[in-house]
């Protein structure tokens, strides 16, 4: 038997849905719903206190998990295009004051660091936004003194990045609408884009037409290296590696593309030294068993609008290691028209929807959702039940 044979077939939609008793696919596909919930809170004037401000900086205080990763992604994606300094900090610095806005994000309403950050920022006269559960000590610290964007869509821990990303976008659109509007997507439009991606990645679509299933299939029986070709995509690669580990139980290394290129000679030497006589051309896994070397696959995450240019970055990996090392490009084509699920159910071919480039944050969000869906599929085909699905905070359910 070949090692790591999947328990379920990725193309068996009925079996995948039956196995997903904990709602892993639904949770991973809820990125659009989380963004839309944030947009609804903004429409209800949750951030009305920020209107007309021209702050000196936006301080990002984040708890552990997806909140910190979302802050890093926002800073890496916008850089100096945000219209004001974005400052990720572990606590509110001594220089913070009435000229600053402080965004405190996290999952734990009892986290002493988040509670202290809210208290310090309020006492120093800064405008404070809290993106966390409105309960416990954090609720007491923020009561009447801070804007609160509490979670409205329950999801698993690994699938919360897009909610925090949406919160950061909402705050920036409120305090710097003119200075960074070209780089900040409208939240409703972003939610539509993510819903379209979730439909494309749904279990009813076969591997060939399903980006997330295709990624899951390409990770099988491979050592995984996730690379980014920019600071933002490298941050995304780290998020993908963490989600693959937390949700899919797969280990992957996340690095900048330059690190992967520099390590290529060592990867080739390791592969050839382990089995100097191995030739993938004459090795039949059905007859000869698993290959005597660990094959490695490099996934380059890119938001480059020029796909041919992005693919050229992988040319160095072509044919390296005698077939034991290969590389794939992971990029996002944003569809402008949602896919029609009724066509998929009836078996009718769907016309190719038109695409557009979108903002960098839109493309990053699409890739984040795709990797989260990939991790959910890897969990299901590996036969693992959803761990940590607390019915008090996540209702699970089918896709």
């Amino acid at each position: 038997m070949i090692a790591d044979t999947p328990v379920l077939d990725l193309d068996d939609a009925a079996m995948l849905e039956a196995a997903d008793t904990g709602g892993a696919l639904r949770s991973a596909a809820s990125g659009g719903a989380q963004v839309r919930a944030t947009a609804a809170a903004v429409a209800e004037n949750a951030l009305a206190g920020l209107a007309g401000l021209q702050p000196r900086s936006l301080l990002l205080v984040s708890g552990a998990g997806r909140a910190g990763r979302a802050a890093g992604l926002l800073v890496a994606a916008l850089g100096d295009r945000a219209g004001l300094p974005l400052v990720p900090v572990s606590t509110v610095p001594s220089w913070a004051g009435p000229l600053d806005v402080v965004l405190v994000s996290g999952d734990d309403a009892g986290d002493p660091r988040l509670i202290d950050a809210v208290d310090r920022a309020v006492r120093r006269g800064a405008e404070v936004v809290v993106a966390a559960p409105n309960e416990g000590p954090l609720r007491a610290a923020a009561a009447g003194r801070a804007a609160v964007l509490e979670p409205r869509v329950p999801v698993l821990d690994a699938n919360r990045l897009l909610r925090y990303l949406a919160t950061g976008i909402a705050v920036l659109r409120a305090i710097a609408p003119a200075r960074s509007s070209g780089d900040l997507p409208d939240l409703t439009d972003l939610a539509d884009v993510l819903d379209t991606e979730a439909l494309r990645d749904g279990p009813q679509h076969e591997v060939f037409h399903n980006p997330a299933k295709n990624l899951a299939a390409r990770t099988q029986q491979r050592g995984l290296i996730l690379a980014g070709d920019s600071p933002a995509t490298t941050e995304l690669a780290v998020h993908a590696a963490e989600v693959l580990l937390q949700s899919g139980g797969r280990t992957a290394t996340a690095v900048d593309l330059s690190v992967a290129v520099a390590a290529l000679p060592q990867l080739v030497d390791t592969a050839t030294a382990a089995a100097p006589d191995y030739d993938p051309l004459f090795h039949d896994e059905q007859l000869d068993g698993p290959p005597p070397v660990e094959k490695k696959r490099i996934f380059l995450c890119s938001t480059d609008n020029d796909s041919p240019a992005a693919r050229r970055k992988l040319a160095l990996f072509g044919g390296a290691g005698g077939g034991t090392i290969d590389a794939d490009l992971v990029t996002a084509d944003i569809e402008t028209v949602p896919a029609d699920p009724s066509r998929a159910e009836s078996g009718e071919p769907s016309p190719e929807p038109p695409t557009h480039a979108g903002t960098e944050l839109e493309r990053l969000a699409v890739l984040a959702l795709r990797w989260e869906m990939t991790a959910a599929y890897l969990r299901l085909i590996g036969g693992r039940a959803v761990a940590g699905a607390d019915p008090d905070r996540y209702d699970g359910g089918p896709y």
Side-chain angles (χ1 to χ4, degrees):
M1 178 181 289
I2 301 174
D4 299 328
T5 300
V7 175
L8 298 177
D9 182 358
L10 278 171
D11 279 338
D12 192 336
M15 289 298 293
L16 287 172
E17 292 178 0
D20 190 17
T21 56
L25 285 175
R26 177 179 175 180
S27 176
S30 297
Q34 295 180 76
V35 173
R36 190 169 282 105
T38 301
V42 172
E44 295 165 5
N45 295 320
L47 299 180
L50 302 182
L53 293 182
Q54 294 184 342
R56 172 178 56 183
S57 67
L58 174 60
L59 304 180
L60 305 170
V61 184
S62 306
R66 302 305 92 206
R69 192 61 59 206
L73 191 62
L74 198 65
V75 172
L78 293 179
D80 58 358
R81 296 175 295 161
L84 77 169
L86 303 181
V87 187
V89 292
S90 57
T91 186
V92 176
S94 58
W95 51 262
L99 297 179
D100 305 294
V101 173
V102 181
L103 173 57
V104 181
S105 306
D107 298 324
D108 185 1
D111 187 337
R113 188 159 59 85
L114 301 184
I115 298 166
D116 179 69
V118 172
D119 185 63
R120 283 172 179 261
V122 168
R123 283 190 289 108
R124 291 175 183 168
E127 290 289 338
V128 183
V129 179
V130 179
N134 191 25
E135 57 191 30
L138 193 58
R139 178 177 183 174
R145 305 191 297 173
V148 179
L149 292 174
E150 59 182 318
R152 298 185 176 187
V153 179
V155 294
L156 297 173
D157 294 348
N159 305 129
R160 294 174 178 168
L161 177 132
L162 291 171
R163 174 169 72 86
Y164 292 118
L165 189 65
T167 301
I169 293 172
V171 171
L172 281 171
R173 287 182 67 91
I175 63 179
R179 290 179 283 179
S180 55
S181 59
D183 298 304
L184 296 174
D186 177 80
L187 289 182
T188 302
D189 292 342
L190 176 59
D192 290 341
V193 166
L194 292 172
D195 285 343
T196 301
E197 175 66 22
L199 284 174
R200 293 178 66 200
D201 296 334
Q204 71 274 16
H205 297 298
E206 297 179 350
V207 171
F208 185 76
H209 300 288
N210 187 315
K213 282 187 178 181
N214 192 270
L215 273 180
R218 285 147 62 192
T219 63
Q220 295 301 300
Q221 302 179 14
R222 293 289 192 277
L224 305 181
I225 301 172
L226 311 184
D229 59 357
S230 69
T233 52
T234 301
E235 194 74 27
L236 173 70
V238 176
H239 167 68
E242 292 171 348
V243 171
L244 286 175
L245 179 63
Q246 184 178 1
S247 183
R250 292 295 307 274
T251 56
T253 301
V255 296
D256 184 85
L257 178 60
S258 61
V259 176
V261 170
L264 182 58
Q266 287 73 29
L267 291 174
V268 173
D269 290 345
T270 301
T272 54
D277 298 326
Y278 170 70
D279 187 339
L281 182 63
F282 299 102
H283 185 88
D284 187 330
E285 295 187 4
Q286 297 293 335
L287 299 176
D288 304 325
V293 299
E294 181 188 23
K295 295 183 179 181
K296 293 182 174 60
R297 175 160 285 162
I298 298 169
F299 290 97
L300 174 60
C301 301
S302 178
T303 56
D304 195 334
N305 285 329
D306 189 350
S307 293
R311 292 188 184 280
R312 283 196 291 271
K313 298 174 184 177
L314 297 175
L316 185 64
F317 300 100
T324 60
I325 300 169
D326 53 19
D328 288 335
L329 178 65
V330 183
T331 188
D333 291 326
I334 298 176
E335 298 181 357
T336 57
V337 178
D340 185 356
S342 63
R343 285 181 173 267
E345 293 172 0
S346 64
E348 297 180 34
S350 298
E352 288 296 325
T355 61
H356 73 289
T359 65
E360 183 178 13
L361 282 172
E362 283 180 300
R363 299 193 296 274
L364 288 167
V366 166
L367 292 180
L369 187 144
R370 186 178 301 170
W371 278 112
E372 291 175 16
M373 291 288 288
T374 298
Y377 282 120
L378 289 173
R379 176 192 293 274
L380 295 178
I381 66 176
R384 289 178 289 273
V386 174
D390 184 350
D392 292 335
R393 60 185 177 91
Y394 180 61
D395 59 354
Y399 177 78

